[in-house]
Every structure is written in C-alpha cells, then in structure tokens.
Amino acid sequence: LFSAEAEFRPTVEQLADSLARTRDEAELLDAIARNVTSWLPSGRIRLVAPHQVDEIDHLPDGARVALEAGHRVWTTQGPWERQLLVPMRSLGVLQRVLVIAPKRDRALFTESDLSLLDTVAALGAQSLHNATMLRDLEDARRLERDASRGDKRATLGILGAELAHEIAHPLQLFRGLLRKASRGPLSADDVDGGGDELARLHRLL
C-alpha cells in the first residue's frame, strides 16, 4: 500500500552513495532534492539555509527554535496547503531545512514518509557538514602552502643579502689587487691576502 516504505532501504542507500561521491555543496543540495522528489509525490521541494527560515510564509510561533532543536514543523495553512519543514542537523547545528509542499492529490504524509524524510535529512546534514569541513581543511592547507612559500622566499632573500655582503668584500680586494698588479709585481702579503679571501669564498660556497 505504501510504496515509500517498500523503497525505504534502496532510497537511503542510493542517497548515501550519491552523497559520498559529492563534495560540492550545490551538488549535495541538488542530490538531496532529486532523491526526495524521486519517491515523494510533492509539488515542490526546497532546501533552505537557516538564515532564510524566517522568510517562509505562515510559520508558527517558535518555528525556528523547534527546527534548531531537531523537531519537524508544519506551516499554519489548512491541511491541504500546509508545508512540512524537516530540520537537517549535524552535531546539533542546523545546516539546512527541507521544505516540502503538500503531496499531490491531497495524499497524506505517512509515518514511513516522515521517517524516511528524517533519515534523508540526517544523511544530507552530515554530508553538508563534511563538505564544509573538507573545504575549510583545503583552505587551511592552501594558506599553509602559501605561507610556506612566503617563508622560503623571505629566507632566500635574507640568504641572498648575506651572500652578496660576503662576496662584495673579496671582489673589492681582488679589484684592488688587479689594479696594483697592472702597475707592478704584487707583494707576498698581497698574494697571501688574496689566497685567504679565495679560501674563505670556497668555504662559504
């Protein structure tokens, strides 16, 4: 009699497989909506961010508090027009709200429908939470890589400045020795001094 009950396990398994392969938030939301639409004959299914809940028409008093506490909420319209709001929570945090229009042909929501919606909402919320965590982790890794590159550049800059300083002095000495050699023979002290600088440069290298 109730097709949703007969399809409960395959629907949840298909959704779990679909969500496990997806990391993009928009794709996750689309997969959840498609999955619910495939078995629930509803006029319209939406996934609403927590900050958009107050924009839903005909909300009862305390609806947001009830959703954040994990309770389903019905809008205050008549029985054939009212919408069902199912909270999608992960680790006690409201990730999204599944907003479901009335079923077609004035069909009633069964306990199996509600149970399956709760399961889908829980799976979807966990997947959204995981996607957010992965995105934050990737952002942190990217920042770490950028910082590491910056540190390397700074280190190379300092090293370059030190090397330039260390090399500049012997170059001045050799330039002076060449000028002196062009005017006559070098003294033993000049040759020893040049040799010492060459040895120091070799050690530095």
Side-chain angles (χ1 to χ4, degrees):
L1 291 176
F2 302 110
S3 59
E5 186 170 350
E7 295 172 7
F8 185 96
R9 186 174 297 279
T11 299
V12 172
E13 288 176 356
Q14 289 165 9
L15 179 62
D17 290 345
S18 173
L19 297 183
R21 291 190 298 268
T22 307
R23 289 188 180 181
D24 181 72
E25 187 175 291
E27 289 179 23
L28 284 170
L29 296 174
D30 184 58
I32 295 164
R34 275 187 288 107
N35 188 273
V36 174
T37 304
S38 69
W39 61 267
L40 189 69
S42 170
R44 186 182 178 202
I45 291 163
R46 295 181 294 150
L47 287 113
V48 175
H51 69 273
Q52 296 172 317
V53 168
D54 295 329
E55 298 171 14
I56 299 170
D57 293 331
H58 308 288
L59 279 182
D61 292 337
R64 187 184 184 90
V65 174
L67 290 167
E68 288 176 347
H71 304 298
R72 293 188 297 261
V73 171
W74 293 92
T75 56
T76 58
Q77 295 136 295
W80 312 121
E81 294 86 29
R82 65 183 183 169
Q83 299 181 90
L84 172 62
L85 281 63
V86 181
M88 298 174 60
R89 298 193 326 147
S90 174
L91 300 177
V93 177
L94 189 64
Q95 301 284 336
R96 288 288 188 285
V97 175
L98 195 55
V99 182
I100 301 148
K103 290 173 75 172
R104 286 191 287 272
D105 302 321
R106 296 191 169 190
L108 298 174
F109 283 89
T110 66
E111 283 300 322
S112 296
D113 291 338
L114 298 176
S115 179
L116 183 51
L117 285 168
D118 287 341
T119 303
V120 167
L123 277 172
Q126 187 60 51
S127 297
L128 286 168
H129 174 79
N130 291 343
T132 301
M133 294 295 290
L134 285 170
R135 188 182 64 236
D136 291 347
L137 182 60
E138 286 168 3
D139 289 347
R141 285 178 177 163
R142 188 164 39 254
L143 285 171
E144 188 177 331
R145 281 195 302 272
D146 291 346
S148 177
R149 283 194 203 104
D151 288 347
K152 286 177 184 174
R153 280 195 292 270
T155 302
L156 286 172
I158 293 168
L159 181 60
E162 290 284 334
L163 285 173
H165 176 73
E166 291 295 326
I167 291 170
H169 178 69
L171 285 177
Q172 286 292 101
L173 175 67
F174 296 143
R175 189 176 290 115
L177 289 175
L178 285 172
R179 282 196 196 111
K180 198 171 184 180
S182 67
R183 294 190 298 270
L186 296 174
S187 68
D189 288 342
D190 290 334
V191 173
D192 288 343
D196 290 343
E197 285 301 316
L198 279 175
R200 192 174 70 79
L201 280 175
H202 184 73
R203 287 195 303 275
L204 182 64
L205 182 63

